[in-house]
Amino acid sequence: MRDHSEQLEFMEIDISEDIEPASVRIPDRSSLANHGREAYIQTGAVLSSEKRFVEEARRLAEATGEETYPAPFMSYWPTYGVMNDAQLRWYWYWRTEVRQGNYLDVDLSYLFVHIYELINGIGWLHPEQGYEQLKRLWINYRERLPQLDAYMQEWIVDFVLVHELQPRLHEVMLLAGGYLPAPLLDKELQRIMEENASDLTLEMLQRYYDYDISLNTFYRDGGKAVVERYIPQVMAVAHSYMKRTQQHGLLPELSPGAEQTMERTLFRKAVYDESIYGRSVSFTYFPLGEQKDFVQRLTRIYRCTENKLRELLGFRGRLRGKTLEPELARVIERYIEKAYALEQTETAPAPVIQIDTAKLASLQEDSEYVRKALTIEETEQSVFDSAASEVPVESEMIEPDQEKMPAAPRFTEQQDGPSREQASAAATTTTSNQTAEMNELLEAKSSVESEVQFLREDASSAKIELQWDESASASLQQEWHDFAGQLETRHVKAVQVLLGDHVDAELMRLANEIGTMPALLLDEINDIAMETIGDLLIDGDRMAPEYMDVFEHVKRC
């Protein structure tokens, strides 16, 4: 008869957390006590597998390894206890290299073990260090191990919340392609709009539209890049404009009673000891995604922006639906027109410059001639004067007794050449021409020196800033101080002219002084206004009436 009395082996199963048996296979941890490791007994009670892992990780936190051959490793629940000796040697060597910034190829299970160490507080002294290590692991292995994304985008969020590194959420969101859990996305969107709306991204905003923008024809057929570039800019401009007109900007009015509290379970599916940071973390947020008016407004802004981009790019068809209020739509469209025109100018191909070597040589010869002429002018003039004074006057050479005698004909050695009078006249003409040419050169030189002196004096002059009286400055919103800070001296002078009585004449005079046109000067001011206060400051060639009160207490130059 067969003996069925084999020794029974028991398996430890941790049931501290509710797990659906149908979706999660029970991991095999029977080898946790292998490889000569001592049993982990504490006050008579067996430690949980998570606590055992953390205890061993702390003991081995500074372990290093020598270079060795990679050993394949795949485990559903990877820990030190399920590695054989070759795998352990490779793990210590790989971790040593990673800590030095050398991210060798590795199996996912090894990577998980190191991540478990970091989320349990092992391998770093300050939370920022732990966050940076987790981020670098994610960045360096996400392409080689794509399945890592699904875990890291959740675990690194938990790490940020546990250690109160909320400003890092924006970086995590960018790494995750705009993803954050819905409540945290609401919280992050509120923070960005309150602090710096220019940090908005299309991926972040997509959740708040009432349809999937990636399905429309324009987005698919070449408009994706321009939409990704302009939508965040337009949202920031619209938020700034509405903040000035409605105080809270694009955000809905948030009453304290609308705030909700979220309880988030920490480090799901990871080997994590709950006794370190707790089972969960809580945070409060305003459910922006559930605000119907907010979602509709963002959708209409997107629709208005895309329609304008379709027009500029010559794309047929327009999005239909409810439109924005005319004033906001006008601000958005004018901003896009200006930004697009500027972008086209900046991206225009530079003209190809070809140098005519023959002409260059000719110019060099002319330049050398002018230099020599300017250098020897005074010497030549003095020599000419001296020679003229030495030529005897013919009347002085005639003897007194010869005054009544006919003059004898005079012959020269060159009978066929020009006469003395002709030669003298020719010399006089040549000298006069040279003198005139030299005078013109000297005048040009003097003019250039005067222009250079003017430019130097203009460059050395102190910058003029737009300033308000102290009492008015203290009550101004920050956006007006930002506007004033970006103005150049010519812009400040133009603003002063717009506040004066003779706008047209003074504006033309100022434009002539700085070598531009009044319209271009005013457009520059409007561009700065759009970037700072979110609206056009000048309507036509006059200050917009609604902003005149802001400039009542501006200090005059």
Side-chain angles (χ1 to χ4, degrees), residues 392-408:
V393 180
E394 187 173 352
S395 60
E396 295 177 355
M397 297 174 63
I398 299 176
E399 298 286 336
D401 56 348
Q402 293 178 341
E403 290 181 358
K404 297 181 179 179
M405 294 180 64

Side-chain angles (χ1 to χ4, degrees), residues 266-431:
L266 293 174
F267 305 115
R268 289 178 179 272
K269 301 180 181 179
V271 178
Y272 162 64
D273 182 4
E274 297 175 1
S275 66
I276 300 176
Y277 305 118
R279 180 182 178 84
S280 62
V281 64
S282 62
F283 59 90
T284 58
Y285 71 101
F286 288 98
L288 297 177
E290 300 175 9
Q291 306 296 316
K292 184 177 179 180
D293 291 342
F294 176 69
V295 171
Q296 287 181 351
R297 183 175 293 279
L298 293 192
T299 303
R300 292 172 187 174
I301 291 175
Y302 175 84
R303 187 183 295 114
C304 175
T305 303
E306 182 175 321
N307 282 338
K308 189 62 182 178
L309 292 174
R310 285 173 177 240
E311 174 189 330
L312 293 173
L313 295 176
F315 195 90
R316 297 178 59 184
R318 299 292 182 268
L319 298 179
R320 297 184 179 181
K322 293 183 178 180
T323 58
L324 287 170
E325 50 268 44
E327 283 298 318
L328 181 55
R330 183 176 68 89
V331 169
I332 290 174
E333 290 175 355
R334 294 190 66 175
Y335 172 79
I336 296 174
E337 288 174 354
K338 296 280 187 182
Y340 185 78
L342 179 61
E343 185 180 85
Q344 294 301 109
T345 302
E346 293 176 346
T347 57
V352 178
I353 300 175
Q354 295 182 346
I355 298 176
D356 188 335
T357 55
K359 189 173 182 179
L360 178 61
S362 176
L363 290 173
Q364 288 176 334
E365 290 178 2
D366 293 344
S367 176
E368 182 65 16
Y369 166 73
V370 171
R371 185 187 67 80
K372 289 181 178 179
L374 291 175
T375 303
I376 67 175
E377 180 199 14
E378 293 183 0
T379 304
E380 287 185 347
Q381 185 66 32
S382 61
V383 170
F384 175 78
D385 293 342
S386 175
S389 63
E390 292 175 0
V391 175
V393 180
E394 187 173 352
S395 60
E396 295 177 355
M397 297 174 63
I398 299 176
E399 298 286 336
D401 56 348
Q402 293 178 341
E403 290 181 358
K404 297 181 179 179
M405 294 180 64
R410 295 185 179 183
F411 298 95
T412 62
E413 293 180 1
Q414 297 179 354
Q415 294 293 330
D416 296 333
S419 65
R420 176 185 293 273
E421 290 78 6
Q422 292 174 331
S424 177
T428 303
T429 303
T430 301
T431 304

Side-chain angles (χ1 to χ4, degrees), residues 18-27 29 76-77 269:
D18 295 335
I19 301 176
E20 297 181 9
S23 59
V24 179
R25 181 170 60 86
I26 297 174
R29 308 178 203 172
Y76 177 79
W77 197 268
K269 301 180 181 179

Side-chain angles (χ1 to χ4, degrees), residues 410-480:
R410 295 185 179 183
F411 298 95
T412 62
E413 293 180 1
Q414 297 179 354
Q415 294 293 330
D416 296 333
S419 65
R420 176 185 293 273
E421 290 78 6
Q422 292 174 331
S424 177
T428 303
T429 303
T430 301
T431 304
S432 299
N433 291 339
Q434 290 178 345
T435 302
E437 185 177 354
M438 291 304 103
N439 289 336
E440 291 178 0
L441 290 171
L442 288 172
E443 290 177 2
K445 179 174 177 289
S446 177
S447 176
V448 171
E449 290 176 347
S450 299
E451 184 67 19
V452 170
Q453 181 64 23
F454 169 77
L455 292 174
R456 287 175 177 172
E457 291 174 357
D458 183 68
S460 63
S461 60
K463 179 182 177 181
I464 300 175
E465 297 181 353
L466 188 67
Q467 297 180 343
W468 284 265
D469 295 337
E470 293 182 2
S471 57
S473 178
S475 61
L476 279 178
Q477 295 181 354
Q478 181 59 39
E479 59 192 25
W480 286 108

Side-chain angles (χ1 to χ4, degrees), residues 109-275:
S109 293
Y110 285 116
L111 188 58
F112 277 160
V113 173
H114 188 33
I115 292 171
Y116 296 160
E117 293 172 344
L118 294 172
I119 66 178
N120 282 285
I122 297 160
W124 50 266
L125 296 176
H126 306 289
E128 281 285 353
Q129 297 172 343
Y131 168 83
E132 288 296 329
Q133 290 185 55
L134 286 170
K135 183 184 74 173
R136 287 196 295 269
L137 287 173
W138 189 9
I139 291 173
N140 283 281
Y141 286 107
R142 65 186 309 178
E143 292 186 3
R144 286 177 274 181
L145 302 168
Q147 60 270 50
L148 183 64
D149 278 356
Y151 298 94
M152 287 301 292
Q153 65 187 15
E154 297 293 341
W155 290 343
I156 203 166
V157 164
D158 293 339
F159 193 93
V160 166
L161 293 176
V162 162
H163 298 287
E164 298 180 351
L165 305 175
Q166 272 74 7
R168 293 291 194 173
L169 280 178
H170 184 70
E171 185 176 34
V172 175
M173 180 188 65
L174 295 178
L175 288 172
Y179 168 80
L180 278 180
L184 286 173
L185 190 59
D186 287 342
K187 189 178 183 69
E188 183 64 8
L189 179 64
Q190 179 186 349
R191 183 190 69 81
I192 289 177
M193 283 192 164
E194 289 176 346
E195 296 179 5
N196 187 8
S198 61
D199 286 340
L200 291 170
T201 64
L202 179 64
E203 292 82 2
M204 184 179 194
L205 293 166
Q206 278 185 275
R207 173 181 173 249
Y208 298 95
Y209 303 142
D210 58 13
Y211 71 99
D212 188 352
I213 65 173
S214 64
L215 299 179
N216 74 52
T217 308
F218 178 71
Y219 187 89
R220 294 198 315 267
D221 298 346
K224 179 180 178 181
V226 71
V227 166
E228 289 177 342
R229 189 162 62 254
Y230 278 96
I231 287 295
Q233 297 176 24
V234 168
M235 288 295 176
V237 169
H239 179 63
S240 178
Y241 171 80
M242 293 190 64
K243 193 173 182 180
R244 179 176 56 81
T245 58
Q246 300 182 15
Q247 300 301 321
H248 48 75
L250 288 176
L251 289 172
E253 294 189 32
L254 304 173
S255 60
E259 195 173 52
Q260 296 185 8
T261 301
M262 176 73 180
E263 194 81 13
R264 178 179 170 87
T265 302
L266 293 174
F267 305 115
R268 289 178 179 272
K269 301 180 181 179
V271 178
Y272 162 64
D273 182 4
E274 297 175 1
S275 66

